[in-house]
Amino acid sequence: MDAHRPHPMMPASNHDEIAEQLAIVDMKMFLATKLDAGQRILLENKVLPEFQKKHGREPRNHQELRKEMEPETAYQAYLTMISTSQDMMWDAVGTCVDRQLDDLMDLAEIKNPKGSVRVNPDFEVPRYIAAQDIHRMPGNYHGTYGERDVRQGAVFDRGAVVYQMGRNGGYMNDIRGHTIISHFLSRWPEGMPLRILDMGCTVGHSTLAIAGYFPEAETHALDVGAGMMRYAHARAERLNIPVHFSQQNAECTDFEDESFDLITSSAMLHETSGKALPNIFKECHRLLKPGGAMVHLEVPGRYEEMDTWSRIRGDYEIQYNYEPFWKGAITADFDKLCKNAGFNDIAVGYQDATVKAEPGNTQFGGPSKGVHRSWLMISGVK
Amino acid sequence: MVALPGLFGAKEKVWIPKGRPSPFHDGPTNDQLLSMVMALTVEVSVLRERLDTHERVSETKGGFGAADVEAYNADNDANAARSSLRSRIMHKVFRILRQETARLENEDQDYDKIMKEFDDV
């Protein structure tokens, strides 16, 4: 695979741009391992004992300790560096995309497509997306800058490689798609859906992996950005996998009742809201044929399993990585949400991440192996 | 010619994320400084990688490679030139620290008095 242009639609990066992206990956890795470990030591060896001494009691919650962390210069520097490295990443990728945006828009014009793309000029972007730029990505998932624009798709495609630090399937970023099907085939080894819908698909990282397992199926995918959908469509066409993309809200799509055999999403639910979640599950139920299956993938790690430092770190995600529903998603009662929406045969648990889904695998149901090694699966049958 | 990152003329725009600003330090100066150091670190990494590419490309084209660079012995002239290059870098990077102490040495002026002088005029 050529790092300059790993697939035919991805924005090309020259020598120095690749070096810049890799340096930022390494910097993010350094922060996530070495400096992160230091914060835990700071908390456990200094901040906590000082709190106990000062107040003569244990802290009531992680927020009390977070407030004591805030004056620590090492913690301040850590926070600055994680937010700055995130901004540097989007800037590096954004400047790379912007210098070739005209070429990318030309590349996105597909003659005789096998799939399709539908955008909606009157689309109302849900407030939980529009309120702030998720992951600090300027322009967010939905930013669109003209009728042929594909910028945010291009930025997200190249940026996700840097953001995931290669742990989600390198340049294709498709391990989550394989993992969804691995879960599906672990529960239903004979499963052969003929109509598939992937919700919150962004550029189609997971969608194409999912579609690849069922070449006879008609695959649809939706997300909230017009530019994102145009890019996703061009990417799928240039990778020769037909998918029908449309700009839609997963809470209320325009598909008819009982349109699909399988509905999926990859790490979409935690970018929604407490009000949206039940709507999305109900919409999945409406769209599935009787006997059809829903498989949502979410971030691993539940709030109740997290230690104090992980919760403090989580507060950063919520407040400064602009993930307002991060805590809501990892405390949500998914079993109840599925039941309330009318699903049967519900399963909520961890599936091992994989690059190849095997029918009848037994990689579901164990403990979480950690970020990018396991994913939380929420599945059920109509 | 290969376009360099960041050099895209009229299209240049500073993209900022929509969301609350990050007040991690008591004042913004330390945050800004740290951000600049991080950006510099990446720039140095890019430069270092470019040098590495030069050695590797040169070697595949029958020119010198990393081993030739390692085997190179600087003569006296080269060493002297390099020493002044290094001094210049130290001077540039640590100028701010020396400025602080240099001021202590020269601090013999009463600036409040000078302000008054001009005010009076």
Side-chain angles (χ1 to χ4, degrees), chain A residues 14-16 19-20 27 76-77 79-81 83-85 88 95 98 102 130-133 136 138 145 151 320 322, chain B residues 2-3 5-6 8 11 15-25 31 34-35 38-39 42 45-46 49-50 53:
Chain A
N14 61 36
H15 176 282
D16 288 5
E20 184 184 20
M27 185 179 276
Q76 291 178 347
L79 293 180
T80 299
M81 289 182 80
S83 63
T84 300
S85 65
M88 286 167 70
T95 51
D98 286 339
D102 290 341
Q132 39 189 356
D133 285 347
R136 305 179 73 95
Y145 310 97
R151 183 185 193 271
Y320 296 113
Y322 310 149
Chain B
V2 182
F8 41 86
K11 275 189 192 157
W15 293 79
I16 54 164
K18 182 176 172 184
R20 84 174 80 194
S22 322
F24 299 135
H25 285 109
D31 283 344
L34 196 47
S35 300
M38 289 168 74
V42 169
S45 301
V46 171
E49 191 158 323
R50 185 127 200 143
T53 300

Side-chain angles (χ1 to χ4, degrees), chain A residues 57 134 174 276:
Chain A
R57 62 169 174 85
I134 293 173
D174 57 0

Side-chain angles (χ1 to χ4, degrees), chain A residues 209-236:
Chain A
I210 292 165
Y213 285 93
F214 309 108
E216 303 301 313
E218 184 177 303
T219 301
H220 293 253
L222 63 83
D223 212 316
V224 294
M228 184 71 80
M229 288 299 86
R230 273 194 288 267
Y231 180 88
H233 168 63
R235 180 178 179 275

Side-chain angles (χ1 to χ4, degrees), chain B residues 7-121:
Chain B
L7 299 180
F8 41 86
K11 275 189 192 157
E12 185 160 5
K13 174 182 170 181
V14 178
W15 293 79
I16 54 164
K18 182 176 172 184
R20 84 174 80 194
S22 322
F24 299 135
H25 285 109
D26 293 341
T29 312
N30 284 340
D31 283 344
Q32 289 168 349
L33 266 176
L34 196 47
S35 300
M36 287 187 274
V37 171
M38 289 168 74
L40 261 176
T41 306
V42 169
E43 288 304 308
V44 171
S45 301
V46 171
L47 271 174
R48 181 65 189 81
E49 191 158 323
R50 185 127 200 143
L51 271 180
D52 180 67
T53 300
H54 272 264
E55 289 168 10
R56 290 174 191 278
V57 171
S58 162
E59 195 159 28
T60 58
K61 305 265 183 197
F64 71 87
D68 300 299
V69 174
E70 286 300 329
Y72 172 76
N73 275 305
D75 59 21
N76 287 344
D77 287 349
N79 273 327
R82 288 169 175 206
S83 181
S84 66
L85 279 177
R86 283 193 293 270
S87 297
R88 183 181 174 278
I89 290 171
M90 302 290 166
H91 175 78
K92 293 277 175 192
V93 175
F94 300 120
R95 181 192 54 79
I96 189 74
L97 302 177
R98 298 177 70 211
Q99 185 173 306
E100 204 58 36
T101 48
R103 175 162 290 151
L104 289 176
E105 281 177 348
N106 298 330
E107 209 59 76
D108 53 4
Q109 299 229 51
D110 184 342
Y111 290 106
D112 284 343
K113 200 173 153 196
I114 293 172
M115 288 291 283
K116 256 200 184 81
E117 229 173 270
F118 286 105
D119 257 1
D120 289 345
V121 173

Side-chain angles (χ1 to χ4, degrees), chain A residues 46-61 63-69:
Chain A
K46 184 180 177 199
V47 172
L48 177 61
E50 281 182 3
F51 182 96
Q52 289 162 332
K53 201 173 160 197
K54 188 169 147 196
H55 298 278
R57 62 169 174 85
E58 293 300 314
R60 293 193 185 93
N61 50 44
Q63 288 94 335
E64 282 194 335
L65 285 174
R66 195 191 73 215
K67 288 199 174 67
E68 300 293 328
M69 286 284 278

